[in-house]
Amino acid sequence: MRRRARTLAAEQQQQQQSSDVDQAAPVVGGPALAGRFSRSAALFGGITLLMAGHGLQNTLLGVRAESEGFSSTVAGLVMAMNFAGFLVGAALAPRLLRQVGHVRVFAALASLGSSVTLVQAVFVTPLVWGACRLVWGMCLAALVVVAETWLNELATNRNRGQMIATYMVVTMGSIATGQFLVTTADVNGFTLFAVSSVLVSLALVPMSLSASANPPVVVPEPLSLRAMLQTAPTGVIVAFLVGGALGSISGLGAVYAANRGLTPFEVALFVGAPMIGSLFGQIPLGRLSDSVPRRVVILLAALAAASGCLAMLALDERTVAGLAVMALMGAFAYPIYSMAVAQTNDWLRDEQRASASAVLVRMNGVGALIGPTVAALAMSVTLNAFYLVMAAAHVLIALLVTARIVLVAGPSVDAQGNFLPIPARASAAVAALLRLRR
C-alpha cells in the first residue's frame, strides 16, 4: 500500500508539473520557457555524449577481440555480458535515485563507467572484459534511468510526443555516430579506449550543471508476467524475440564483421547501417500501425526483417547492396518493439500501462541476453549463425502473430491507441510518458 501511495503521489506530481507548464506556455520567450529549453538542450547533449561513447566502445571491443585472437564464441559471450548488467542496473537504479539523488547517481556511475572502459585497455583478457562489460551495462542502465527521468520532468502535454521522438533519434543517431570513431585511431592501441572514456565523462558536464532539482522516480506498481501473458501475450513474446534479434546486432555485429575480415571503417558502416535505417522506419511503420490492424503491420515487418537477414547470406557486407539490405532490415526490425508496446497497450487499462511497459523492458532485456549468447555459441560452427539466429527470431514473431490473428480477434482500428517510437530498453520514466500522453 505504501509503495502504491508513493507511486500515485509521484504520478500526481508529474501531472501537476505538466499542467503548470502548459498553463505558462503562452508566455513565449519567458524565463520558464528559456530555462526549460536550456535544460532540454543540456539533457540531449549529455545523452549524445554518453551514447556516442557507448557506441564506440561496442565496436572497438568487437574489432579488438578479433585482433587479439578471441574466438567468435568467447567474444560474443563477453559482449553479451553488457545486457546482463543492464538488467541488474535497471532494477537497482530506482533505489539508488531515491537514496542519493539524480546528480550524485549520474556522477558516480558515469565515473565508474568511464573507469572500466580504461581497465579494458590495460587488461586485455576475456575474463576482465566480461566483468567490465557487466559493470558497464549496470552503469549504462542507471544512467539511462536518470536521463529519462529528467526527460519525463521536461515533457509537457504539448511536447510529449516530440520529446520521445527526439530522444529516440538522439539515442540511435549517437550510437551510430560513435561507432565511426573507431576509424580515427589504431584499434590495438590505447587512444580509442581513452576517447570512449572521455565521452562518457564529458556527459557529466551538461547533465550536472543543468539539474535544478530531483524529479520524482517513477516506479510502476508491479504487474506479474503471468497476468501479462494472459492479457496480452503477443506483445510480451514479441518483445522477448525482437530483443534477441536486436541484441545480436548490437552485441555481435562488430564481432561478426571483424571475423569476416572487414576493416574498422567497414565494421562501423556494417553495424551502423541497421541503426541508421531504423531512424527512417519508425514513424512510417508506426503511423501505418495506427491506421490498419497493428498485428498485420508487425507480421509484415517481421517477414521483411527475416528476409533481409536471409538475403545477407548471399551478399558481401562490404558492398553497397549489402549495406542497403542491412539498413532496410533495421528499418523494419527496430520499430517492432515500439509496435509491440502499442499492441500491448491496446489490451490494457490506462492504469496498467506503465507497469506493462516495465515488464516489456525486462522481457526485451532477457531476450537481448539470450539471443547473442545463442548466436555466439552457434557462430563457433558457422559465422552465418549471426544472420540465421536473427532470421529465426523474426520468423517466430511472424508465426506467433499469424496464429494470434487467426485465433483471437484484435481490437478495431478505432480502438487502437497511438504509436510512439521508444528505445527497446527505455526505463519506467518513458513508460510513464507513454501513459500520460494517452
Side-chain angles (χ1 to χ4, degrees):
M1 292 298 291
R2 288 194 298 268
R3 177 184 292 178
R4 180 163 182 81
R6 288 195 301 268
T7 302
L8 290 174
E11 292 173 354
Q12 290 170 358
Q13 183 176 350
Q14 172 66 31
Q15 291 170 341
Q16 182 62 44
Q17 289 172 342
S18 296
S19 175
D20 292 344
V21 171
D22 289 344
Q23 292 172 6
V27 186
V28 178
L33 182 61
R36 186 172 292 275
F37 175 80
S38 64
R39 286 191 293 159
S40 297
L43 172 65
F44 288 123
I47 292 172
T48 297
L49 293 167
L50 175 64
M51 292 303 174
H54 173 55
L56 170 58
Q57 185 179 161
N58 277 351
T59 303
L60 172 60
L61 291 178
V63 176
R64 181 68 177 270
E66 192 278 334
S67 176
E68 294 291 337
F70 293 7
S71 70
S72 57
T73 301
V74 170
L77 293 175
V78 167
M79 299 300 287
M81 293 303 293
N82 173 69
F83 301 110
F86 200 97
L87 286 172
V88 175
L92 293 178
R95 182 184 304 174
L96 292 175
L97 292 177
R98 287 194 298 269
Q99 290 177 346
V100 299
H102 291 65
V103 176
R104 290 179 179 177
V105 169
F106 196 94
L109 294 182
S111 298
L112 178 59
S114 178
S115 299
V116 298
T117 301
L118 296 178
V119 169
Q120 293 168 121
V122 178
F123 301 99
V124 187
T125 67
L127 185 61
V128 172
W129 276 21
C132 288
R133 292 296 288 171
L134 179 69
V135 174
W136 169 249
M138 293 172 60
C139 292
L140 181 64
L143 294 172
V144 166
V145 171
V146 174
E148 291 175 354
T149 303
W150 270 320
L151 179 72
N152 189 303
E153 181 200 24
L154 294 174
T156 69
N157 290 335
R158 294 185 178 185
N159 68 6
R160 204 173 305 281
Q162 180 183 355
M163 291 286 283
I164 294 177
T166 302
Y167 175 68
M168 183 73 179
V169 170
V170 168
T171 298
M172 301 303 295
S174 300
I175 293 174
T177 301
Q179 291 167 347
F180 285 96
L181 293 176
V182 77
T183 65
T184 60
D186 182 8
V187 296
N188 293 311
F190 182 81
T191 301
L192 290 176
F193 287 96
V195 171
S196 177
S197 175
V198 167
L199 287 171
V200 175
S201 296
L202 286 178
L204 268 168
V205 178
M207 296 291 287
S208 299
L209 295 179
S210 68
S212 58
N214 284 330
V217 181
V218 180
V219 182
E221 190 72 16
L223 185 65
S224 70
L225 176 60
R226 176 179 297 182
M228 286 283 292
L229 287 171
Q230 291 174 346
T231 305
T234 301
V236 176
I237 300 175
V238 168
F240 169 77
L241 291 172
V242 80
L246 300 185
S248 296
I249 294 176
S250 60
L252 289 180
V255 174
Y256 167 81
N259 277 273
R260 286 276 292 161
L262 275 66
T263 66
F265 179 71
E266 290 169 339
V267 171
L269 283 175
F270 173 75
V271 179
M275 297 184 183
I276 294 172
S278 72
L279 299 178
F280 296 94
Q282 288 278 357
I283 299 302
L285 286 178
R287 289 179 176 175
L288 180 61
S289 73
D290 286 341
S291 304
V292 302
R294 205 179 312 274
R295 292 183 297 184
V296 173
V297 183
I298 295 176
L299 169 62
L300 295 177
L303 291 175
S307 299
C309 293
L310 295 176
M312 287 303 300
L313 296 174
L315 295 173
D316 188 336
E317 293 85 1
R318 300 173 180 84
T319 64
V320 173
L323 293 173
V325 169
M326 287 297 292
L328 285 172
M329 188 271 291
F332 286 104
Y334 277 89
I336 292 176
Y337 176 78
S338 298
M339 289 190 288
V341 174
Q343 163 68 17
T344 301
N345 287 336
D346 291 339
W347 292 88
L348 299 175
R349 300 187 306 275
D350 181 70
E351 61 269 18
Q352 295 176 309
R353 289 185 178 120
S355 297
S357 294
V359 173
L360 294 179
V361 168
R362 289 194 294 271
M363 290 301 296
N364 184 267
V366 172
L369 174 61
I370 294 176
T373 302
V374 172
L377 295 173
M379 282 169 63
S380 63
V381 179
T382 172
L383 278 178
N384 286 335
F386 172 72
Y387 294 121
L388 294 174
V389 169
M390 290 192 294
H394 286 108
V395 168
L396 289 174
I397 291 173
L399 292 175
L400 167 69
V401 174
T402 299
R404 294 290 295 176
I405 291 173
V406 172
L407 298 175
V408 181
S412 65
V413 174
D414 292 338
Q416 291 182 164
N418 295 326
F419 169 91
L420 280 177
I422 59 174
R425 277 168 289 283
S427 73
V430 171
L433 280 173
L434 183 79
R435 175 185 173 184
L436 289 172
R437 186 175 186 267
R438 299 178 66 90

